[in-house]
Amino acid sequence: MDSPAPLPLFADAPDPAQICDALFPEGGYAAARAAFVQTAKAAGGAQASYVNPPVGLQGEELAMDVARWGSDNALASVVVLSATHGVEGPVGSAIQLDLLRHADLNALPGGVELIVVHGVNPYGYSWGRRANEDGVDLNRNFVDFSAEPPSNPGYDALSDALVPTSLEPDAIRRADARLAAYRKQHGEIAYDVAVAGGQYRHRHGLFYGGDAPSWSRQTLEQLWLDWGLAKRRLVAVLDLHTGIGPHGYGELICDLPPGGPGSRRALRWHGESVTHPALGDSVSGARSGLSDYGWLAAFDDRLSFLTLEFGTGPFVDLLAALRADHVCHALELAADDPQMVAAREQLQRFFNPPSPAWREMTLWRGRQVLRQTLQGVAASL
């Protein structure tokens, strides 16, 4: 049987190499938000903004902004998220802008609506943090807080080595020696779970899942109601991230149960490049409280959820950047303190490589995955 013709979503779009600068505007979150809101309006989308109470680094308003195209009676929703981890927002915002500026939104398949959510974690995007206004990693926050949260004894044992009381070289060397000893004694998988699996006891710690549903989680849950997602036959979510992995490679990570409906659809739509942390074939490991799990609880077998993770560098560099950020915030340093400024810049360099080639790679891959997702959703109805 012949394969269907590719959806002509970006058929007339300019080459990403020619438009990178326009899609990655200078000026941080405020400039990216303004570009998104203006572009969505020009593209004729229905819009809403959910305002986050804190203010941004430049004193600007913070919000989760939403734009939508399609029929109120759509059978399926394709939802594109950016900045779940705030500092990772620029590439997600750029892919969203490229979609709204250069895709033919009139070519959306029949019965399919498109919902674009800009700035899931606007505070982290503005302030240059992976965490939110409460120091919470949103991708560890989707647990049942009416029950005892997951324990992580490995993190408990390493907490003061992961976030020491100082960034002085001697303190870092001692902390690194403890991490290395734990890694050697317990092995790579146990070390990964201890460090990054998620923890719920150390408020200033890495990968902290919080002690209650975050503003972003509650806002997403309200968004489901406001935009009628419960009525859809199929909900496909694409969550845009940057971090570990080969430089510029966009890995499609499926944290839904292997072999389940969402996993099977992902493989059908995108092929064998889809990875599953539960099967050990992903750059990511097993995690607690992922956003995926919150969506899965709401939509069950109707959900397809994929994380598109663009590689930037090795985990050891990610850990060093996160550690500097968390130490500075644990010390409650001012935003303009030299150590805080240096930590913020270190995070930006890691999660947003200042490379035109890297940016071009992310845009091409973003177009491919968006097209495949929309085409796959339409074929599944």
Side-chain angles (χ1 to χ4, degrees):
M1 183 174 65
D2 293 335
S3 299
L7 184 73
L9 189 65
F10 289 97
D12 299 318
D15 189 310
Q18 307 303 317
I19 56 175
C20 278
D21 290 346
L23 297 176
F24 289 85
E26 298 292 334
Y29 165 78
R33 184 193 180 200
F36 176 81
V37 171
Q38 293 164 8
T39 300
K41 182 178 180 180
Q47 291 181 258
S49 295
Y50 299 82
V51 176
N52 189 341
V55 297
L57 181 61
Q58 303 173 45
E60 75 273 29
E61 180 182 76
L62 303 177
M64 190 186 302
D65 294 296
V66 184
R68 174 186 170 277
W69 289 261
S71 167
D72 290 337
N73 299 316
L75 300 175
S77 300
V78 172
V79 185
V80 185
L81 308 174
S82 69
T84 296
H85 290 140
V87 70
E88 302 172 21
V91 73
S93 178
I95 289 171
Q96 290 174 331
L97 282 177
D98 186 41
L99 174 64
L100 303 191
R101 287 178 181 174
H102 303 123
D104 180 5
L105 298 180
N106 293 319
L108 291 177
V112 180
E113 69 173 352
L114 173 67
I115 298 177
V116 185
V117 184
H118 185 272
V120 173
N121 173 8
Y123 180 92
Y125 195 164
S126 176
W127 286 86
R129 298 204 74 192
R130 193 172 182 272
N132 77 347
E133 58 270 18
D134 300 312
V136 170
D137 183 328
L138 298 185
N139 243 1
R140 305 295 184 275
N141 185 239
F142 286 78
V143 298
D144 180 3
F145 287 103
S146 68
E148 187 71 20
S151 63
N152 189 338
Y155 191 96
D156 295 341
L158 295 173
S159 61
D160 56 351
L162 290 165
V163 184
T165 57
S166 167
L167 291 174
E168 292 297 320
D170 285 346
I172 295 300
R173 278 193 291 271
R174 289 192 297 271
D176 284 346
R178 286 188 54 203
L179 296 179
Y182 186 97
R183 190 174 190 170
K184 182 177 180 179
Q185 179 181 356
H186 297 278
E188 292 295 330
I189 294 176
Y191 176 75
D192 177 75
V193 171
V195 174
Q199 56 87 16
Y200 299 84
R201 294 185 57 188
H202 306 271
R203 186 169 63 88
H204 291 296
L206 276 58
F207 306 102
Y208 173 57
D211 58 10
S214 63
W215 174 87
S216 292
R217 172 178 169 176
Q218 294 179 68
T219 302
L220 283 173
E221 291 168 350
Q222 185 62 46
L223 184 154
W224 301 341
L225 297 174
D226 293 347
W227 297 84
L229 268 66
K231 297 182 292 185
R232 306 300 177 239
R233 186 184 301 172
L234 180 60
V235 176
V237 182
L238 183 64
D239 196 8
L240 302 167
H241 285 257
T242 66
I244 55 174
H247 188 81
Y249 177 70
E251 179 179 338
L252 277 171
I253 302 172
C254 183
D255 280 289
L256 301 184
S263 172
R264 293 199 304 270
R265 282 191 293 265
L267 291 166
R268 191 163 64 246
W269 299 348
H270 304 287
E272 297 296 328
S273 68
V274 175
T275 63
H276 296 80
L279 299 180
D281 61 1
S282 172
V283 70
S284 179
R287 306 291 183 244
S288 297
L290 293 176
S291 174
D292 317 41
Y293 304 153
W295 288 79
L296 182 61
F299 300 103
D300 198 31
D301 289 350
R302 294 179 292 148
L303 179 72
S304 291
F305 193 113
L306 286 169
T307 297
L308 179 53
E309 177 91 17
F310 291 105
T312 62
F315 184 77
V316 64
D317 291 347
L318 179 149
L319 187 60
L322 286 182
R323 170 193 269 168
D325 169 72
H326 281 263
V327 168
C328 288
H329 281 84
L331 295 173
E332 299 183 348
L333 301 182
D336 59 354
D337 182 280
Q339 279 197 104
M340 183 69 85
V341 172
R344 196 159 55 240
E345 291 176 348
Q346 185 178 2
L347 273 177
Q348 288 288 353
R349 286 194 303 272
F350 180 82
F351 286 106
N352 303 293
S355 161
W358 184 85
R359 291 178 171 182
E360 181 185 353
M361 291 172 73
T362 65
L363 293 173
W364 278 118
R365 179 65 163 150
R367 287 182 179 182
Q368 178 190 46
V369 171
L370 285 165
R371 176 183 57 77
Q372 290 176 344
T373 300
L374 284 161
Q375 188 162 316
V377 167
S380 299
L381 294 179

